[in-house]
Amino acid sequence: MNRKIFIYANDSEMSRKTEKNLKQKLDSSGFTLLPSYRADADLLVCIGGDGTFLEVIHRFDFPPMPIIGINTGHLGFFQEIMPSMLDDFIFNYSQGRYSIQQLSTVKIAVKTKEGISQHVGLNEVIIKGQSTCSVHLNISIGGSFIERFSGDGLLIATPAGSTAYNYSLGGSIVDPRLNILQVTPIAPMNTTAYRSFTSSILLPSDLSLGVVTDAGSKQEGLSVVYDGYTADYAEIEEIEVSFSDTLVNLMRFENYDFWTKVKSKFL
């Protein structure tokens, strides 16, 4: 067997207890446990909630190996199994009874006078002001101007992230088998002075979203938030948001069904 497994757990009591239990079971089953992360690992086990899962993929720069999540958090949308299912997990993994769900990511490229900076998010990227002031942004899709948006900001979600912040903003839940980006406005203005779209826009994988700060506005800079991580920029010349080539390989077992999970978590 000799498969190399790296386990990452958050600091909660339940996670540490689950980690200790899992290590004992994997060791007795003949697996090799890695003391630290290595890119040649055969499997990465993430113990925690969805926040821990996002922390893992960013800390290790979107690991190439399959990732399995053990849920010791709350919602656990990315996490596949519960702590009580460790024996089932080890058996199914040993027997090859699983599939790999490839999750798309979203990329944002920010052009300033200093150059171009890029960030990648699994759930979403957000463009907003650095203060509580509204932002005024000129938006284009596929190079064609669409509108001058005014509001708190824009959220661009992947299908995987459609059930996160996007959903709380009134965006749609999207099946992860669809390659689309969802652009959802955050507190858009829709008055006689400001006209902004008030519902989500869906973009196919071959189109990008262009954003330029409105020349007439006095905003000093913008914040780019990707999966909860924030980068602030001043004097932005242009922003482009598109699908990224980076994929997250999430391990799923035979009884997994996306819409069954949606029903159990949201309905």
Side-chain angles (χ1 to χ4, degrees):
M1 191 173 293
N2 197 31
R3 298 181 193 172
K4 302 182 292 295
I5 299 177
F6 173 65
I7 301 174
Y8 182 93
N10 65 22
D11 292 326
S12 74
E13 182 179 354
M14 175 61 75
S15 295
R16 291 304 182 190
K17 181 180 178 180
T18 302
E19 178 186 22
K20 181 179 179 180
N21 191 18
L22 178 61
K23 284 183 175 180
Q24 291 174 345
K25 290 178 180 293
L26 288 172
D27 184 59
S28 63
S29 298
F31 292 96
T32 300
L33 299 176
L34 300 176
S36 59
Y37 173 78
R38 282 170 32 186
D40 65 341
D42 296 297
L43 180 67
L44 193 161
V45 180
C46 173
I47 304 176
D50 288 332
T52 304
F53 184 87
L54 292 174
E55 178 185 345
V56 161
I57 65 170
H58 284 279
R59 172 171 291 194
F60 301 117
D61 194 23
F62 292 86
M65 76 287 296
I67 306 173
I68 183 69
I70 300 177
N71 185 32
T72 58
H74 299 288
L75 187 62
F77 207 85
F78 289 119
Q79 310 298 73
E80 172 72 2
I81 58 179
M82 300 300 293
S84 60
M85 301 166 58
L86 298 184
D87 290 329
D88 291 336
F89 153 59
I90 294 173
F91 175 77
N92 288 326
Y93 180 54
S94 301
Q95 298 297 312
R97 297 180 179 179
Y98 61 85
S99 60
I100 301 300
Q101 180 185 26
Q102 290 191 320
L103 302 179
S104 300
T105 58
V106 58
K107 175 179 66 177
I108 185 166
V110 184
K111 182 179 180 182
T112 65
K113 293 181 179 179
E114 285 70 35
I116 298 177
S117 300
Q118 293 189 355
H119 307 285
V120 177
L122 173 60
N123 269 353
E124 75 275 308
V125 296
I126 299 168
I127 304 169
K128 66 184 188 67
Q130 294 180 9
S131 65
T132 57
C133 297
S134 299
V135 295
H136 304 282
L137 308 170
N138 291 318
I139 299 173
S140 63
I141 296 177
S144 299
F145 175 77
I146 299 299
E147 73 161 10
R148 179 181 185 266
F149 172 84
S150 297
D152 283 1
L154 297 171
L155 180 145
I156 303 93
T158 65
S162 67
T163 55
Y165 187 20
N166 172 76
Y167 183 66
S168 69
L169 292 173
S172 299
I173 294 177
V174 177
D175 192 302
R177 288 168 289 193
L178 299 175
N179 284 327
I180 58 175
L181 290 177
Q182 185 170 181
V183 184
T184 301
I186 305 174
M189 296 182 187
N190 196 12
T191 66
T192 55
Y194 301 102
R195 304 293 294 179
S196 301
F197 67 90
T198 57
S199 61
S200 297
I201 295 174
L202 302 180
L203 302 182
S205 59
D206 60 338
L207 286 183
S208 62
L209 180 77
V211 178
V212 178
T213 302
D214 187 78
S217 64
K218 297 181 180 180
Q219 58 203 40
E220 297 180 357
L222 295 173
S223 292
V224 171
V225 185
Y226 50 104
D227 291 344
Y229 297 87
T230 302
D232 293 329
Y233 293 94
E235 299 181 346
I236 295 175
E237 296 180 0
E238 185 179 11
I239 294 176
E240 183 178 32
V241 186
S242 60
F243 263 105
S244 167
D245 293 331
T246 301
L247 297 172
V248 173
N249 297 306
L250 192 58
M251 182 176 287
R252 297 298 194 186
F253 291 103
E254 291 179 341
N255 61 347
Y256 172 79
D257 176 72
F258 172 75
W259 290 106
T260 299
K261 192 150 197 173
V262 167
K263 180 180 178 181
S264 67
K265 299 296 182 180
F266 292 99
L267 302 179

